[in-house]
Structures are given as C-alpha cells and as structure tokens.
Amino acid sequence: MLDRLPLLIGLRYVRAKRRNHFISFISLTSMLGLMLGVAVLILVLSVMNGFDHELRTRILGMVPHTKIEARSGLVEWEALAEQLTQRERVIGAAPYVQQQGMFSAAGRNEGAMVNGIHPEWEDRVSIIGRHMQRGSLDDLQPGEWNIVLGSLLARHLGVGVGDRVTLLVPEASITPAGVFPRLKRFTVSGIFSVGADLDANLAYANIEDMQTLARLGDAVGGLRLELDDLFQAAPETRAIINELGSDYRGIDWTFTHGNLFQAIQMEKRMIALLLTVIIAVAAFNIVSTLVMVVTDKHADIAILRTIGATPRSIMGIFVVQGLAIGVIGIAVGVGLGIVLALTISDLIGWVESALGIQFLDAGVYFISDLPSRLHWGDVRNIIAAAFGLTFLSTLYPAWRASRVQPAEVLRYE
C-alpha cells in the first residue's frame, strides 16, 4: 500500500477541488500552455517539413541535381551520358541547351529561361512530363519551332496553346543591312504547372531548334544529371570533374538553390527552438502550481510523515501530480497538433476559396499552396522534450515537500 501511496495521493490531488482557486487557475494555465505549445510546434514543424519536401520534389525535380558542361560545348554527348550513367549514384542523364531570352506577345514582354531538351530523354532527369496542363513534350519536334511555357509565364503573356510568341535572345545578327537582334517566332504547343516560381520564368523547346538558334551546330550546352541522393550532389560533381579533366566543369543544385534549402533548414531549427522555449515556460509554470500546493498541504504532509510516509514517498506524490498535469496538456496538444498538421493544407485552401484571396503567391514565394508533412519522428521528439521539461519542473517543489518537518507544522495545529 505504501508503494502505491505517491500515485494514489498524487492523482487525488489533481482531481480534488481546491479551496484556493488561484492554484487551480495556475494549474489550468500550465496545462493550456503545454497544450498550445506542443500543438503549435507539431504544426509548424510539419509545415516546414512540407516546404522542405516541396523544394525537393518540385523545385529540384525541375532543376538538375548537377550539370556537366565543356568549355567548347559537348558534341559526343551520348557517349558521355552512357559513361556517366555507369556511376553508382547517377540514375539519369539528358542533354540540354539553355538560353536566356525575352518573350513577346500581343504587346507584352516577359523574360524567361528557355531549355532546349530532347523529349525522349527529359523524363530521366525531370518531372516536367508529369505536370503538363495542356499539350505534351512529344509535341516538341525538331524544325516545328514549338515551345512549352510555364502557366504563369503564359498568363502574363496572355497566350494559350496554338498562339504565337516571339523569343528575342541577347545576341545580335550581323547582316549587310546592319546589326539586328536575333529573334524567332515559336508556336505554343503546351503549358506546364508545378506550382512554383519556375512557372513564371521557364520554357521548353526542342534541343535541335535551340541549337540552331544558338548556332551551336551539333554541340549541346551540357548534360543534366539525376542522382539517387541529391545531398551527395556536391561531392559527386567534384568526383566526376576530377575523372573527366579540366576541360569540363560541373554545377550542382547547391549553387542555384542551396541558399533556399539552407534557409528553410535554419528557419526550422530556429522556430523549433523558440517554440520549445514556449513549452518550457508552460512547463515551469507547474513549479508555481506545485509550490503553492505544497504550502497549502503542509498539514497533510505532516500527517503522512507521522504515519510512516518517507520523504521519498512525499516527493513522489508531487512528482506524480505535476506529471499528471503535464501529461494531460501534452496529450491534448499532440492530438490537436496532429489534426491540424493533417488538415492545414485543406483548411487554408478552404479559407482562400471562401475569402477569394491567396496567401502564397508563386510569383513571390517558390510555391503557391501551404504544404504540410507530418513526421512521426518529430512528434516523438516533441513529446520527449515536453515530458522531460515537465519532469524537471516537478523536482524542486517535490523536494521542498519532502523537507517539511512534521513537528514544526503540527505544533500550531
């Protein structure tokens, strides 16, 4: 019976109505603080995980993990692609010709990057084929001068499938009549949308058409490589360049989008730290609650000591009480956080539809919707951290209770 004494009395103190309503208020505040802190931390980390996942799947699904280029252009690119795909980490390769230019249609002008691609090879390194709204990459046949535009780029230009656009490249053509800018008219054969800023500044054309426009002959701009682990892009690129020699150079995704990924990781860590401080404040409110309970229960503690309760048992009573308050707050917070993390995307979408507004503009942010991805490992870490902080907050009040001297308390009873 004495072994169960801390558990029985500790839980009874949690359920009991107190004469001092201020103690009950502080206890409730601690519970609500833990609940909200845990729920918000789960929700925010899930959203940050969603941004991280979208960066990997959308942005880095369109942007090459690494690019291999030669100083004088790649002519025998098929042999090089075959050589590189023999490497353990390289799972795909595709040629490209890249050209920055200005699109013009119906008096509107928009700058964009045009990727000359081989339709049969592109699926090996890009997700573009899975995000076509209209048309297909197979429509990019050599000599037809077709082009696929991002959805935002097409909207800004006011064009659709079948319309004509003019591409002006930043190079001049010298003719007997003088110097003229180099331009070419394309027919819009498709529109893609990945829900990212790439929709506003990227277009695709056939690689042979872009070779002609860029006057590269049979050479291509380089090879885009897909790796099995994008975080190994930098060392793998260095290894490839060391193998190929100084005539080649490599550019991996960390040069183009590494800052964005690092910013997301840094924000995730800092937000987790700040919200953990909120949980810590709520947990240490339990200290105030238990200190006041110990003061209120001096007589009860003295009586328990006189009938044989040990200081360790008295300490256990108030540890149990504090943990019960914390566990209830943590459990409710975990449940609320999981529900919000699983539904926040739909909830934000409903609010946007109801109010006719858009919280995330792909022209400003790199995605157009609020992603959320719940990781159970994060949930376990949050529970462990919150429980640990709660346990630490119970130790001092419980130790104070175990130090109560029965004789001094009962002298005045």
Side-chain angles (χ1 to χ4, degrees):
M1 184 62 184
L2 288 176
D3 292 337
R4 299 174 57 193
L5 185 67
L7 180 62
L8 294 175
I9 298 180
L11 294 179
R12 181 180 178 86
Y13 279 175
V14 173
R15 298 191 306 267
K17 295 183 179 179
R18 297 186 178 88
R19 297 184 299 272
N20 189 337
H21 295 290
F22 184 69
I23 298 177
S24 300
F25 174 76
I26 295 296
S27 177
L28 180 61
T29 301
S30 304
M31 195 179 298
L32 291 176
L34 281 170
M35 179 191 73
L36 293 177
V38 169
V40 171
L41 184 53
I42 291 175
L43 174 61
V44 170
L45 289 186
S46 297
V47 171
M48 298 305 295
N49 290 334
F51 273 99
D52 177 75
H53 180 262
E54 293 300 318
L55 174 64
R56 298 190 196 186
T57 57
R58 292 195 193 186
I59 307 299
L60 297 182
M62 300 284 289
V63 174
H65 290 176
T66 188
K67 297 189 296 185
I68 303 299
E69 300 176 348
R71 298 183 185 278
S72 57
L74 293 177
V75 178
E76 298 180 357
W77 60 267
E78 292 189 44
L80 181 59
E82 180 67 23
Q83 174 186 343
L84 294 179
T85 51
Q86 299 300 317
R87 299 181 64 88
E88 181 180 357
R89 292 200 174 277
V90 179
I91 59 178
Y96 72 91
V97 172
Q98 202 167 62
Q99 180 70 61
Q100 186 76 36
M102 176 76 73
F103 283 101
S104 177
R108 301 179 181 181
N109 300 305
E110 291 289 337
M113 181 68 71
V114 183
N115 280 342
I117 63 171
H118 197 303
E120 296 179 3
W121 289 64
E122 190 64 15
D123 284 342
R124 306 179 187 184
V125 298
S126 173
I127 62 172
I128 177 63
R130 301 195 295 271
H131 290 272
M132 295 295 298
Q133 286 186 335
R134 299 184 63 186
S136 169
L137 291 182
D138 294 333
D139 297 329
L140 300 178
Q141 296 301 316
E144 295 186 4
W145 297 98
N146 289 332
I147 197 163
V148 172
L149 303 179
S151 58
L152 292 178
L153 179 59
R155 186 190 309 169
H156 293 161
L157 291 171
V159 298
V161 173
D163 293 334
R164 305 271 287 178
V165 296
T166 301
L167 175 63
L168 173 66
V169 299
E171 296 180 11
S173 297
I174 301 176
T175 68
V179 179
F180 294 92
R182 190 181 307 172
L183 50 85
K184 182 66 182 179
R185 288 183 65 80
F186 287 84
T187 300
V188 179
S189 63
I191 295 176
F192 70 87
S193 176
V194 293
D197 62 343
L198 297 176
D199 294 340
N201 53 39
L202 190 61
Y204 290 89
N206 184 273
I207 191 169
E208 294 185 22
D209 293 343
M210 294 305 297
Q211 284 175 313
T212 301
L213 184 62
R215 297 177 179 176
L216 293 177
D218 294 331
V220 299
L223 287 176
R224 301 170 63 193
L225 303 182
E226 179 87 0
L227 306 180
D228 60 351
D229 184 358
L230 62 91
F231 294 105
Q232 296 299 317
E236 184 66 16
T237 302
R238 289 194 295 269
I240 291 174
I241 297 304
N242 290 336
E243 178 182 312
L244 296 178
S246 59
D247 290 337
Y248 295 85
R249 68 170 185 168
I251 303 173
D252 63 83
W253 68 271
T254 59
F255 285 94
T256 57
H257 290 78
N259 290 339
L260 178 60
F261 181 81
Q262 292 173 3
I264 291 176
Q265 295 299 310
M266 178 62 70
E267 288 176 2
K268 181 179 177 181
R269 288 192 289 267
M270 293 306 298
I271 290 175
L273 177 61
L274 293 175
L275 293 179
T276 301
V277 171
I278 295 176
I279 294 177
V281 171
F284 282 104
N285 279 342
I286 297 175
V287 175
S288 303
T289 302
L290 294 183
V291 166
M292 287 187 288
V293 171
V294 169
T295 303
D296 191 53
K297 300 294 185 181
H298 266 190
D300 295 355
I301 296 171
I303 293 172
L304 289 171
R305 290 293 308 277
T306 58
I307 62 175
T310 63
R312 183 175 181 179
S313 297
I314 298 300
M315 188 173 180
I317 291 172
F318 293 96
V319 169
V320 168
Q321 183 182 358
L323 288 179
I325 295 171
V327 166
I328 294 172
I330 293 170
V332 176
V334 168
L336 180 61
I338 290 174
V339 171
L340 288 175
L342 296 176
T343 60
I344 189 64
S345 299
D346 295 333
L347 181 61
I348 293 298
W350 179 82
V351 172
E352 289 179 338
S353 299
L355 300 180
I357 61 176
Q358 187 173 14
F359 292 110
L360 297 177
D361 184 356
V364 179
Y365 305 96
F366 70 92
I367 61 173
S368 58
D369 54 356
L370 185 68
S372 178
R373 194 171 183 86
L374 182 66
H375 288 177
W376 294 108
D378 289 340
V379 176
R380 288 193 296 270
N381 292 337
I382 292 169
I383 293 174
F387 186 83
L389 291 171
T390 301
F391 176 73
L392 290 176
S393 68
T394 65
L395 295 181
Y396 173 71
W399 177 79
R400 283 277 303 272
S402 69
R403 302 283 292 177
V404 171
Q405 298 299 321
E408 294 182 5
V409 174
L410 295 178
R411 179 185 307 169
Y412 304 102
E413 295 293 331

